[in-house]
Amino acid sequence: PAAFTAGVAIARFGQPQRQAQRGAGVDIASRETALEVGARWQPHPALALQPLLQRVWNAGGRPGAHETIAGLRIEWSFGSPSP
């Protein structure tokens, strides 16, 4: 791989959102957390491939809803590659 990648994202649900959901009888977590790891290959100057794996805790604000997501990012650049 040309590079390895990693990232963390934390989304906090605001108090008004949590109160509205609880008022509707929906249990909601205070935050959602995601961890992503991947690698990047560039088989051609205009093409990059990046397989990735994500783990999400409290997905969508649902307490205890944890999900694993696998994906592939494809980046294709048009025009002359930069030096």
Side-chain angles (χ1 to χ4, degrees):
F4 291 100
T5 61
V8 175
I10 300 172
R12 183 180 170 278
F13 299 101
Q15 188 66 26
Q17 169 71 10
R18 292 196 317 263
Q19 286 176 344
Q21 292 295 322
R22 287 190 185 114
V26 177
D27 190 22
I28 186 168
S30 62
R31 71 176 133 290
E32 171 186 281
T33 304
L35 172 66
E36 177 180 302
V37 294
R40 181 180 173 97
W41 283 270
Q42 194 150 5
H44 185 275
L47 177 65
L49 304 172
Q50 186 175 354
L52 59 93
L53 183 65
Q54 294 180 349
R55 180 66 175 164
V56 183
W57 290 271
N58 297 324
R62 297 169 296 161
H66 310 313
E67 298 184 11
T68 301
I69 303 161
L72 174 66
R73 289 189 182 118
I74 300 172
E75 180 182 314
W76 186 272
S77 300
F78 296 97
S80 306
S82 299

